[in-house]
Amino acid sequence: MKLSLGSLSASHMVSVLSLCTLAACGQPQSEELVDESLPEPIAVLPEDGERTAQAVTPMQLAQFRAELLTAVNNARKVTRKCGTTSYPAAPALVANDKLNTAAQGHAVDMATKNYFSHTGKDGRSPFDRMKAAGYSFSYAGENIAAGNATVAATMTQWLNSAGHCANIMSKNFTQIGFGYDNNSASTYKHYWVQNFGKPL
């Protein structure tokens, strides 16, 4: 579907949105609103053997975040084709605690309440969550994924999706935060979030 300019509030007209459920899709926006379609989400169910993991620990989360930051910045080091669009290498992103907070809150919410969407059960958008975490941005975006148990598999999913790949390669972003949570009782069990931003 196409984004309708009239359907977006002023608070949403400064950002980048993308979607993924092992999910994959994405689209950039900023103060100069770009009317783009959201790629169709792709969902995969976890293998039966992956349904026994316990809740994520702080040490595990820190490790995932370190692995994700390395993987994203390695991806940005080289020219990359996302769908039919080629992107030049881009500068490394820097981890941001406020973006981590926004991303983690959404990952936990999706895993706990068993849903998969950029829009929270409370109706908040990714941009609302970033602002609530105290992050003021000129550009912002989000990738979400569900179903894979590892950083490597989730990054492959994102990079194989044109919209998510475009967010990862975007030169408009300078900072990033990550969230991850799992719940063996939820549909996809593993929920991943990347929040991208460029501060004001």
Side-chain angles (χ1 to χ4, degrees):
M1 70 177 180
K2 289 288 184 180
L3 285 177
S4 168
L5 302 188
S7 69
L8 296 178
S9 68
S11 66
H12 293 159
M13 295 180 68
V14 283
S15 317
V16 180
L17 186 56
S18 57
L19 173 57
C20 142
T21 124
L22 188 68
C25 80
Q27 147 251 348
Q29 281 180 13
S30 72
E31 290 178 344
E32 299 174 354
L33 187 64
V34 180
D35 183 17
E36 296 187 24
S37 63
L38 290 171
E40 188 69 23
I42 303 169
V44 298
L45 292 173
E47 298 293 332
D48 288 344
E50 294 178 349
R51 290 190 170 275
T52 58
Q54 301 300 310
V56 63
T57 66
M59 185 176 295
Q60 183 184 25
L61 180 58
Q63 180 63 34
F64 281 159
R65 284 175 171 165
E67 292 177 13
L68 281 163
L69 183 61
T70 297
V72 167
N73 285 333
N74 282 343
R76 288 169 67 90
K77 286 181 180 179
V78 298
T79 299
R80 187 174 301 277
K81 196 166 187 178
C82 300
T84 59
T85 304
S86 293
Y87 290 84
L93 298 177
V94 177
N96 179 274
D97 287 341
K98 292 176 181 178
L99 290 177
N100 278 341
T101 296
Q104 185 63 18
H106 191 47
V108 170
D109 200 55
M110 289 190 292
T112 302
K113 298 177 182 176
N114 194 21
Y115 72 98
F116 183 80
S117 174
H118 287 291
T119 303
K121 286 291 189 181
D122 58 4
R124 293 194 303 172
S125 73
F127 320 117
D128 295 329
R129 292 189 291 271
M130 292 179 203
K131 290 176 182 177
Y135 190 79
S136 298
F137 53 83
S138 56
Y139 284 90
E142 178 174 90
N143 283 347
I144 60 176
N148 278 327
T150 67
V151 168
T154 301
M155 279 297 299
T156 296
Q157 176 200 354
W158 276 327
L159 290 173
N160 286 340
S161 164
H164 297 95
C165 177
N167 275 351
I168 289 169
M169 295 301 296
S170 177
K171 65 181 181 181
N172 292 326
F173 300 132
T174 60
Q175 298 179 336
I176 193 167
F178 304 101
Y180 168 79
D181 199 27
N182 65 54
N183 180 356
S184 60
S186 64
T187 300
Y188 299 114
K189 187 185 174 189
H190 303 279
Y191 296 82
W192 304 82
V193 180
Q194 291 178 323
N195 278 170
F196 303 86
K198 180 178 181 180
L200 287 173

